[in-house]
Amino acid sequence: MANISKSVNNKPWLGWLLFGLSLVAVFCLGLLASSITERRVEAQLVNKPMKALSKTEARNELWGENYPREYQSWKETSEMDFVSKYNGNVERDMLEEDPNLVVLWAGYGFSKDYNAPRGHFYAVEDIQNTLRTGGPVDENDGPMPATCWTCKSPDVPRMMEEHGVAEFYKGKWAGKGSEIVNPIGCADCHDSETMNLQISRPALAEAFERQGKDINDASHQEMRTLVCAQCHVEYYFDKRDGKENYLTFPWDEGFKVEDMEKYYDAIDFSDWTHSISKAPMLKAQHPGYETWQMGIHGQRGVSCADCHMPYKTEGGQKFTDHHIQSPLNNIANSCQVCHREDAETLTANVYERQDAIKETRDKVERELAIAHLEAGFAWEQGATPAQMKEALTLIRHAGWRWDFAVAAHGSSFHAPVEIARILGSALEKSYQARMEIKKVLVDLGYTKDVPLPDFSTKEKAQKSVGLDMAKLEKQKEDFKQNLLPKWLEEAKANGKLMK
């Protein structure tokens, strides 16, 4: 202190400098204290809803009044501005890009129409628009059952609560068109009183129970994946024991592709009979949860939300970004929280794995499509069911493996080693199926190459499998002009949809 006093006496300006610095320091500390106080008050208020919500409130706009940050970020799932090498949030015609799919799904709805998925904001709109749901003229018409609504809207848990789960699954898809109108949102994952993550669909809890597990024992970190696993999984519509299209996860034997194949074979289940090969086929849905478990992120406990819904901060509030999207469109928050590589390197790493998987996938699709066509030709030559049994079983198992590998859109990144193994098995079984068909043809006296139709474009492929696309598109357009507007008017009048 003596030295400071002496210095100030010798240099008066130094005293004024110290005085000024002290004022600045006090001022900054005051600002910091004020900010802390404001943020504490804000934190106390942020989870105090302004409006009470019912247990099954499906209208996302009302949730947004209580949780504006989360709601505004959720609305960003409406954006269509990002295209990665193999996906993104832009609607893309996958049959146009890969006409093999039309032949692989001949006789099934996906051969009519299959687009790359957009954001959750469009969940209801997209199922209304797809040709797969047909052009129903009333509540009892159309090709699809009511169960197809299950993962599209928070109106679903509301209706399950009101009518019962089994009752919800009954009837036609068109029978619930005026009730299911709000896209995937808040009530699908959150308890309206506590905002805790919740399981709002029974199929997941039922699958856990059959495995001897209680889903209520799941940790918060596990729930950040399980709320996604309600829908991003393989499932089928169970019609056994008096059930009517009861949504069921086939996990009783395990999560691997062979485990579920064993389950389906044991109950003699098939999603459809292929219109060309007559093989009893399995259609994988979107086994994202299953394939995530098989990759390094799942094995290390990284949740779906960690990458697809990372935390973000506004002011003093840290919250989950509900703009659910590809991590490639948000690398800084999704990837670089853990990985120190630059964005270009991380993107290249993803594409490297996806490219390798696609190379094998393309081979499988070509060989399997030809196997279906060759099987169809064998039937035309007079083959019997006994002669075709082995070939059709191989086609079924090859198709199941291929579809399982590609239906979960991120599987080539989530679990590239496992997906490569599965596709390798699918390719081998496709080769074996073609060999079996050739044996049948030789037995029938046919030794030439099988003539194949031109399926090099979507239009040619759809024509080759017997689809009348003009008729299907006309039916859909009539539905959108006549029945769909009535659904929306009724939903608004009944308060199910915000006006």
Side-chain angles (χ1 to χ4, degrees):
M1 290 295 295
N3 289 335
I4 294 176
S5 299
K6 184 177 180 180
S7 298
V8 169
N9 288 331
N10 293 332
K11 299 177 180 179
W13 60 269
L14 185 59
W16 288 106
L17 177 62
L18 292 173
F19 177 70
L21 291 174
S22 298
L23 287 178
V24 171
V26 170
F27 179 73
C28 291
L29 287 172
L31 288 177
L32 177 61
S34 175
S35 177
I36 291 173
T37 301
E38 290 177 4
R39 298 309 175 217
R40 282 179 175 174
V41 172
E42 186 177 355
Q44 291 173 354
L45 295 175
V46 71
N47 284 321
K48 290 186 178 180
M50 300 175 62
K51 177 175 292 187
L53 300 172
S54 68
K55 180 181 178 181
T56 56
E57 177 56 65
R59 292 168 293 181
N60 298 308
E61 294 87 347
L62 296 183
W63 289 70
E65 295 180 21
N66 291 337
Y67 305 99
R69 289 185 175 91
E70 289 82 356
Y71 176 69
Q72 289 302 318
S73 64
W74 169 84
K75 287 179 67 177
E76 292 174 5
T77 63
S78 66
E79 295 177 356
M80 294 189 296
D81 57 0
F82 173 68
V83 178
S84 66
K85 190 170 186 178
Y86 295 111
N87 227 312
N89 58 19
V90 177
E91 189 175 53
R92 293 161 57 180
D93 188 335
M94 302 308 295
L95 301 183
E96 189 78 46
E97 295 184 18
D98 187 358
N100 290 311
L101 302 178
V102 176
V103 176
L104 294 171
W105 290 324
Y108 198 62
F110 276 77
S111 64
K112 306 173 187 176
D113 177 31
Y114 174 47
N115 295 319
R118 298 189 288 176
H120 282 175
F121 185 88
Y122 298 104
V124 171
E125 180 180 325
D126 284 350
I127 196 174
Q128 291 168 343
N129 289 337
T130 180
L131 295 177
R132 298 197 300 276
T133 52
V137 297
D138 58 42
E139 63 181 12
N140 298 311
D141 190 27
M144 307 303 284
T147 317
C148 292
W149 282 116
T150 303
C151 286
K152 304 302 181 183
S153 167
D155 286 301
V156 171
R158 173 182 63 79
M159 292 195 70
M160 287 180 169
E161 179 77 14
E162 293 173 0
H163 305 289
V165 175
E167 189 65 28
F168 172 83
Y169 295 141
K170 294 180 180 179
K172 289 286 188 177
W173 174 79
K176 295 178 173 61
S178 63
E179 291 281 352
I180 302 178
V181 288
N182 295 283
I184 297 168
C186 311
D188 288 308
C189 305
H190 290 283
D191 181 287
S192 61
E193 292 185 4
T194 66
M195 287 305 292
N196 290 337
L197 294 174
Q198 67 170 0
I199 303 302
S200 58
R201 308 305 199 272
L204 180 63
E206 291 166 353
F208 268 50
E209 185 177 353
R210 293 196 305 275
Q211 292 180 322
K213 297 185 290 187
D214 185 348
I215 203 164
N216 295 311
D217 294 336
S219 68
H220 176 70
Q221 178 66 1
E222 290 170 331
M223 287 293 289
R224 283 165 58 81
T225 288
L226 290 175
V227 291
C228 305
Q230 297 180 94
C231 294
H232 291 266
V233 291
E234 164 60 12
Y235 59 82
Y236 75 105
F237 299 166
D238 194 353
K239 300 179 179 66
R240 297 173 298 161
D241 304 324
K243 297 174 184 174
E244 185 173 330
N245 294 310
Y246 197 95
L247 186 69
T248 305
F249 298 172
W251 295 346
D252 295 32
E253 300 291 337
F255 293 105
K256 295 177 73 69
V257 68
E258 292 87 357
D259 296 332
M260 285 183 263
E261 178 182 273
K262 179 181 178 182
Y263 174 93
Y264 284 136
D265 286 352
I267 64 173
D268 195 27
F269 173 83
S270 63
D271 284 289
W272 92 103
T273 299
H274 198 276
S275 63
I276 299 172
S277 69
K278 310 305 178 186
M281 300 299 294
L282 297 169
K283 174 70 186 77
Q285 309 308 324
H286 23 63
Y289 175 66
E290 295 92 335
T291 54
W292 161 84
Q293 293 183 73
M294 301 169 191
I296 194 64
H297 288 90
Q299 292 166 3
R300 296 293 183 269
V302 179
S303 74
C304 299
D306 287 328
C307 300
H308 295 276
M309 303 174 64
Y311 292 114
K312 65 185 301 186
T313 301
E314 286 184 6
Q317 292 305 311
K318 176 182 176 182
F319 64 99
T320 299
D321 186 353
H322 282 63
H323 183 190
I324 306 166
Q325 61 176 330
S326 166
L328 292 179
N329 198 31
N330 190 17
I331 288 177
N333 291 332
S334 294
C335 307
Q336 291 175 325
V337 173
C338 297
H339 299 284
R340 294 295 173 253
E341 293 79 8
D342 58 55
E344 291 74 16
T345 299
L346 291 168
T347 301
N349 292 158
V350 173
Y351 289 162
E352 179 183 14
R353 286 152 180 77
Q354 292 178 327
D355 289 343
I357 295 298
K358 185 178 184 299
E359 183 177 339
T360 305
R361 188 197 76 185
D362 290 346
K363 293 176 182 177
V364 175
E365 289 178 357
R366 180 67 182 176
E367 291 299 320
L368 187 54
I370 293 175
H372 280 295
L373 295 169
E374 290 177 337
F377 184 79
W379 288 117
E380 293 173 3
Q381 301 306 303
T384 66
Q387 288 176 303
M388 294 295 290
K389 182 178 179 180
E390 180 63 23
L392 297 188
T393 298
L394 287 165
I395 288 175
R396 168 184 168 90
H397 290 170
W400 163 243
R401 284 163 170 75
W402 160 77
D403 213 335
F404 185 92
V406 302
H409 301 288
S411 63
S412 57
F413 171 74
H414 289 152
V417 175
E418 177 65 6
I419 297 304
R421 184 192 70 82
I422 293 171
L423 285 174
S425 175
L427 185 58
E428 179 185 14
K429 290 182 181 296
S430 298
Y431 287 145
Q432 291 174 344
R434 293 191 63 193
M435 289 298 296
E436 289 296 325
I437 295 167
K438 288 185 185 299
K439 292 177 184 178
V440 172
L441 289 172
V442 169
D443 289 342
L444 295 171
Y446 188 91
T447 58
K448 300 177 183 179
D449 290 337
V450 172
L452 299 176
D454 182 356
F455 57 97
S456 58
T457 67
K458 170 187 172 181
E459 290 73 20
K460 291 177 180 179
Q462 289 176 327
K463 184 177 180 181
S464 75
V465 303
L467 285 173
D468 186 343
M469 296 306 299
K471 179 181 178 180
L472 294 171
E473 290 166 359
K474 176 65 164 55
Q475 290 173 341
K476 175 59 71 173
E477 192 58 35
D478 289 345
F479 158 75
K480 290 167 66 175
Q481 291 183 2
N482 299 317
L483 187 56
L484 180 56
K486 294 179 181 178
W487 288 358
L488 300 179
E489 289 173 7
E490 184 177 340
K492 291 178 181 178
N494 293 336
K496 301 295 191 303
L497 184 67
M498 298 292 285
K499 297 181 180 180

